[in-house]
Amino acid sequence: MKRNTWQREAVRDALGRTEGFVSAQALHASLRGTGSEVGLATVYRALADLASEGEADSLQQEGESLYRACTPGSHHHHLICRNCGRTVEISADPVEAWARQVAAQNGFTAPEHVVDVFGLCPECTAAASAR
């Protein structure tokens, strides 16, 4: 585990206050907007560390890493709105069973996986239908 610095804590706090997934650049801009002097490279490092330690979820979207605060140690999946980025954590017991089964059928043990389901949230669906 990395040692906690004020910069890392500032990134962790800012990420915790952010709804949905956010890029390092957007989080950095948010921090700068509050007067923080945390550098962009530090934000990138802190986010990568938080993700590797299980304190943040990470996903790739259009070639960019996006991050979201999560509860450490909780395995979950996401529904993510392609339009507004709204994110809902979901459990998916059938996916867990399928992953174990497919791994076992192929001689693999200790399977791990990431499942993110992209779609349109109810609000974006309603807005699109109204147009």
Side-chain angles (χ1 to χ4, degrees):
M1 177 176 261
K2 301 274 185 182
R3 72 183 173 97
N4 285 325
T5 63
W6 71 267
Q7 296 97 331
R8 183 182 165 100
E9 286 303 313
V11 171
R12 179 185 283 122
D13 291 344
L15 188 62
R17 291 189 307 271
T18 302
E19 291 290 320
F21 283 87
V22 64
S23 68
Q25 295 91 346
L27 193 63
H28 179 253
S30 172
L31 284 163
R32 299 292 291 189
T34 63
S36 176
E37 296 182 9
V38 175
L40 181 57
T42 300
V43 172
Y44 272 105
R45 278 192 304 275
L47 288 172
D49 289 344
L50 291 171
S52 70
E53 294 167 6
E55 292 187 53
D57 291 320
S58 172
L59 63 88
Q60 293 288 316
Q61 191 170 33
E62 297 176 12
E64 182 174 32
S65 293
L66 302 177
Y67 299 89
R68 176 179 181 270
C70 72
T71 306
S74 68
H75 180 73
H76 54 271
H77 306 285
H78 303 108
L79 291 172
I80 304 166
C81 181
R82 286 190 307 263
N83 187 52
C84 71
R86 176 180 176 203
T87 305
V88 177
E89 287 186 7
I90 58 171
S91 63
D93 293 337
V95 170
E96 304 303 327
W98 172 81
R100 286 190 301 273
Q101 177 186 4
V102 168
Q105 288 171 347
N106 290 281
F108 282 68
T109 61
E112 295 181 7
H113 61 276
V114 175
V115 175
D116 295 318
V117 179
F118 293 86
L120 294 177
C121 71
E123 291 79 11
C124 290
T125 298
S129 295
R131 286 182 261 206

